[in-house]
Amino acid sequence: MRRPHWPRRVFAQLLLSQTVITVGVTAVTAGLFLAPVSRELDRDAMDRALAIARVTATDETLARAAAARDAETVQRNAEQIRIATRASFVVITDTRGIRLSHTDPARIGQRVSTDPEPALRGESVTAIQDGTLGRTARGKVPLRTADGRIVGEVSVGISDGSIRRRLLSMAGGILLCAGAGLAAGLTATLLLARRLKRRTHNIAVADIAGLLVEREAMLHGIREGVVALDGSGRVRLANDEALRLLALPEDCRGRTVDDLLPPGRLADVLSGRIEGPDLPAVRDDRVLVVNRMATADGGAVTTLRDRTELESLVRELDNTRSLTEALRAQDHEHANRMHTLLGMLELGWTDQAAAFICDRSGSHAALAARIGEQVQDPHVAALLVGKAAVAAERGIRLAVTADSHLPDAAVDARALVTVVGNLVDNALDALDGGTVEIRLRPVGATLLVEVADSGPGVPPDLRELIFEEGWTSKDAPAHRPRGLGLAMVRRLVERSGGRLAVGTGPLGGARFTVELPEALIGVETA
């Protein structure tokens, strides 16, 4: 025989357990109601029997007949009272307990089956007793004459069957109410079980435990940050990588994104105020790619990918590409010079050929030498020389102002290259021919950087917006998102406690001014 087993599904377990509990509670409640009702009916029957007995004992004719032992008169009066009150019996005895009346006339003259002594002593008695007529609720009182002398006993009984019939009539209503409550409870249980079935996708309890373990392992093992928000925008879950990437506290659960992050693009993306796939954002010095997906309960799950190292590699690739373009430009220019020189020699213009060689070979070398004299930091100098070659290829003149000077004393050369490189790239992208001027000037340990161009400039209403992550006026290339350069410049400047401003420069276009305190080591104020 197959043994029954406990159901595996959550909704089935809930339905079965709640059904058992509901039925049990209903049965116990009905029993608790019926038990006192039964006792109350017994007490009511005894009180009624006692009342009938007391009224009967006030009949003086009945008392005189009992004193004279006139059984015929006593029987006639007792039966009239029994029929009128619908009692089971009305028995009158003499002082010895001998019946003078009974519903069965054959028992007249016999001693009663229960003890008459308490009533004959003048006491009133109520009880549930078994006698010749079965189990009855009885009331017993002394029968007195007009002068108060006890001449017998009046015993009135109400059958147990009538009491039970009253109980059953009342139990029907109680059971009906219990049934209605049971039906309501089972209906609520069924609805709750069906709702739970939908919410748990009919998964077994063991599977839920396994899914929870697997979820924890997955969330804390993957290299992407995961943040889950509830319908109110509060953090429901954040794995270890999300805590690291966003610099969140351990007790972030239950707090809103706006409480945990400063105002900006990252908070807007996590909160859903900015929507879209693969949105770039910056947190401190980290470049993140954020994707947000809404959930059915009104919340959202956000994934975070750290692109900081990849972005650094992309920037190095861009620098390499810039150098390659500069070499290609120089190679193209060198070929044109060779062709010009060959033509001069074939025409016999040797003096003009010599002058051409001296003029062309000295111009680029002079620019590189001038940058090297003014910018002594090798990283920034190499950056500017490469940018100058790229600018020349685009027909743009890149110049370092005469009062510029940068000693080889940068605290963080990599950050300085990021700031200068992004500002120069931004200026070159804004021009289609023209001029870009760079000014580097130390003031004690503070470094001032200015990059100005002759382009269209930045409208006043966009001078704050251009520093937001992801904002750009240009099409993004396939290998990297745009709109991060100026945002990273702002993050680096803010992290160093510096200042960043944009306005109109002397060339008529935009001028970006950066102040980097404590950016130089061992430099005294001029």
Side-chain angles (χ1 to χ4, degrees):
M1 182 177 178
R2 187 175 180 181
R3 295 176 57 188
H5 62 276
W6 187 253
R8 296 179 67 246
R9 306 296 177 185
V10 176
F11 91 97
Q13 290 188 11
L14 176 67
L15 181 60
L16 179 59
S17 60
Q18 288 294 99
T19 300
V20 171
I21 292 173
T22 303
V23 172
V25 169
T26 303
V28 171
T29 303
L32 292 176
F33 270 102
L34 288 174
V37 167
S38 178
R39 290 193 297 269
E40 187 64 28
L41 289 176
D42 288 341
R43 187 180 303 109
D44 181 67
M46 289 186 292
D47 291 342
R48 181 168 167 246
L50 182 62
I52 296 173
R54 285 174 174 171
V55 172
T56 302
T58 61
D59 189 343
E60 293 184 3
T61 301
L62 190 61
R64 287 194 300 269
R69 291 182 173 83
D70 183 358
E72 182 179 354
T73 302
V74 171
Q75 172 70 1
R76 184 176 60 252
N77 291 347
E79 282 300 298
Q80 291 176 351
I81 294 172
R82 182 184 68 80
I83 294 171
T85 59
R86 297 181 181 180
S88 296
F89 63 84
V90 176
V91 174
I92 310 297
T93 71
D94 61 12
T95 55
R96 294 174 299 168
I98 302 301
R99 298 187 185 98
L100 299 176
S101 69
H102 197 276
T103 54
D104 183 3
R107 296 183 183 275
I108 297 175
Q110 297 178 4
R111 183 177 173 82
V112 293
S113 59
T114 57
D115 185 14
E117 290 302 322
L120 294 176
R121 289 196 303 267
E123 299 175 7
S124 297
V125 178
T126 58
I128 302 293
Q129 294 178 332
D130 292 320
T132 58
L133 297 179
R135 187 176 180 83
T136 55
R138 304 189 180 194
K140 301 178 182 181
V141 296
L143 179 62
R144 301 174 187 270
T145 59
D147 57 1
R149 181 169 58 91
I150 296 177
V151 294
E153 172 200 43
V154 178
S155 177
V156 177
I158 297 176
S159 69
D160 185 72
S162 64
I163 298 174
R164 297 303 161 219
R165 284 192 296 272
R166 289 187 62 192
L167 177 61
L168 290 177
S169 65
M170 297 181 65
I174 295 176
L175 293 178
L176 182 61
C177 293
L182 177 61
L186 292 178
T187 302
T189 298
L190 180 61
L191 293 176
L192 179 61
R194 292 182 63 182
R195 176 179 174 83
L196 185 61
K197 179 180 179 180
R198 291 194 300 268
R199 296 295 296 272
T200 59
H201 303 284
N202 200 20
I203 300 176
V205 176
D207 295 337
I208 292 178
L211 287 174
L212 180 61
V213 173
E214 293 169 1
R215 188 198 72 161
E216 291 297 315
M218 179 185 67
L219 287 177
H220 297 289
I222 60 176
R223 294 295 296 169
E224 289 190 0
V226 178
V227 178
L229 305 179
D230 60 19
S232 302
R234 300 182 181 277
V235 175
R236 179 186 297 164
L237 178 145
N239 67 348
D240 297 338
E241 187 68 6
L243 297 179
R244 183 183 71 86
L245 294 177
L246 299 177
L248 299 179
E250 293 288 341
D251 59 346
C252 64
R253 184 173 300 178
R255 300 169 62 182
T256 64
V257 172
D258 293 331
D259 291 338
L260 297 169
L261 297 176
R265 178 181 174 83
L266 182 56
D268 292 340
V269 172
L270 288 177
S271 300
R273 293 187 287 267
I274 297 178
E275 298 179 350
D278 294 332
L279 296 175
V282 177
R283 174 64 167 162
D284 294 333
D285 58 345
R286 296 188 180 278
V287 179
L288 307 176
V289 175
V290 185
N291 281 282
R292 187 179 190 272
M293 178 176 293
T295 57
D297 61 352
V301 175
T302 304
T303 59
L304 308 161
R305 281 177 289 157
D306 188 0
R307 282 184 56 99
T308 305
E309 295 182 2
L310 180 60
E311 189 70 19
S312 177
L313 293 175
V314 169
R315 289 189 177 279
E316 291 183 9
L317 177 62
D318 285 346
N319 291 334
T320 302
R321 183 173 297 172
S322 297
L323 292 176
T324 302
E325 291 179 358
L327 292 175
R328 182 179 60 82
Q330 290 180 0
D331 179 67
H332 181 71
E333 184 180 1
H334 180 70
N336 289 334
R337 291 175 181 175
M338 290 299 99
H339 294 155
T340 302
L341 181 61
L342 178 60
M344 288 183 177
L345 293 176
E346 288 179 351
L347 293 172
W349 297 347
T350 56
D351 294 338
Q352 291 87 339
F356 178 78
I357 292 174
C358 293
D359 178 65
R360 295 300 179 183
S361 63
S363 59
H364 184 74
L367 176 61
R370 186 164 62 253
I371 291 177
E373 291 177 358
Q374 294 179 281
V375 181
Q376 298 172 2
D377 184 282
H379 303 88
V380 180
L383 172 70
L384 294 180
V385 170
K387 296 295 184 185
V390 173
E393 175 70 10
R394 297 184 185 179
I396 301 172
R397 186 179 72 87
L398 188 145
V400 178
T401 61
D403 61 343
S404 292
H405 175 64
L406 176 62
D408 186 10
V411 173
D412 188 351
R414 181 178 177 181
L416 185 57
V417 167
T418 299
V419 171
V420 175
N422 278 297
L423 293 179
V424 171
D425 285 342
N426 187 72
L428 294 177
D429 290 341
L431 296 179
D432 185 13
T435 303
V436 174
E437 283 189 353
I438 304 166
R439 185 186 186 196
L440 303 169
R441 186 166 62 90
V443 180
T446 300
L447 176 64
L448 297 179
V449 179
E450 292 182 4
V451 177
D453 61 67
S454 59
V458 179
D461 58 330
L462 297 180
R463 290 179 181 177
E464 288 295 329
L465 187 61
I466 59 174
F467 295 106
E468 295 291 335
E469 301 100 302
W471 190 93
T472 180
S473 60
K474 300 175 284 290
D475 294 332
H479 67 280
R480 61 176 294 191
R482 278 196 177 273
L484 296 177
L486 292 179
M488 291 191 67
V489 170
R490 184 177 69 172
R491 293 289 184 183
L492 290 172
V493 172
E494 290 178 349
R495 190 176 63 178
S496 66
R499 185 177 62 87
L500 172 63
V502 59
T504 302
L507 301 178
R511 177 174 65 182
F512 289 83
T513 302
V514 176
E515 180 181 327
L516 298 173
E518 307 299 329
L520 304 174
I521 301 175
V523 178
E524 298 181 357
T525 305

